[in-house]
Amino acid sequence: MGGQYRITGDKYPRLRRPRRRRRLVLSAIASMALVGLTGWGTLQLIDVFTGGGDEATAAGPKADCSTRATASPSPRAAALPRPAQITVNVLNATPRSGLAKSTAEELKKRGFRIGTVGNATKEYDKKVSGTAVLLGAKAAADAALPVLGTQVKGAEPKTDGRPRATEVDLIIGTGFKSLTAKTDADKALTALSKPTPAPSTTPKNC
């Protein structure tokens, strides 16, 4: 290159991109980040005020999800036999004569079927110090025995190996005075026949 303008040395001017374009790109990125943060913060506030919390995963509900108890009817009440389905053997384990007969007559008036009426066996004769012992099969523990127990307050239930669940023994002890008053016994029998709510847990606000 001739003339009075000459380039000397080994350094040459560099061509640079306009700084304005770089600023525009940085501004756009910053704006997008700000919008994203604002949206995330808004969702967090909504969860706080609405109690939404974390969503359940596809595998199931949250592990720390609170639960509440709900009542479901117990199947026990449906299996209880009626007094007319229960045969009661009334056995006297006391020295008082005629006690088994008078007790059996009253139970019959209350709807129970009467089986054997007499003295208790040697295993229990003069050996029952409480009100009475209610003796029946293992299957009667949650059926016939509690039904008969509504008529004899304070009686002790026991089970043996007999096959029939609807045949039970009422062994009268020395502490026996009389059967439970009929009105009270009827109330207890009605309460026993009603389904008992069994608590169960169900997820709440999951």
Side-chain angles (χ1 to χ4, degrees), residues 46-200:
I46 292 174
D47 284 343
V48 169
F49 286 105
T50 59
D54 295 335
E55 295 294 333
T57 63
K62 296 182 296 180
D64 60 348
C65 181
S66 61
T67 58
R68 61 181 176 184
T70 58
S72 58
S74 171
R76 175 187 147 180
L80 289 176
R82 300 188 306 274
Q85 297 174 306
I86 302 174
T87 299
V88 183
N89 300 318
V90 186
L91 308 175
N92 186 5
T94 76
R96 297 158 57 189
S97 62
L99 191 57
K101 182 180 178 181
S102 60
T103 303
E105 290 175 350
E106 181 60 29
L107 284 174
K108 186 176 181 179
K109 292 178 182 178
R110 299 185 183 189
F112 290 88
R113 298 175 61 183
I114 304 301
T116 302
V117 179
N119 295 325
T121 61
K122 291 182 179 181
E123 182 181 358
Y124 291 99
D125 191 27
K126 312 296 189 302
K127 299 176 182 178
V128 180
S129 58
T131 302
V133 171
L134 306 182
L135 186 63
K138 292 182 179 180
D142 293 324
L145 291 183
V147 172
L148 181 58
T150 61
Q151 312 299 311
V152 192
K153 187 176 181 180
E156 178 186 2
K158 288 186 176 182
T159 60
D160 58 13
R162 70 184 66 190
R164 293 184 60 187
T166 57
E167 182 177 353
V168 297
D169 297 345
L170 168 57
I171 306 173
I172 302 173
T174 55
F176 179 86
K177 295 181 179 180
S178 64
L179 293 175
T180 304
K182 188 175 184 307
T183 54
D184 295 336
D186 289 344
K187 290 179 181 178
L189 187 59
T190 301
L192 186 67
S193 301
K194 290 181 179 179
T196 303
S200 62

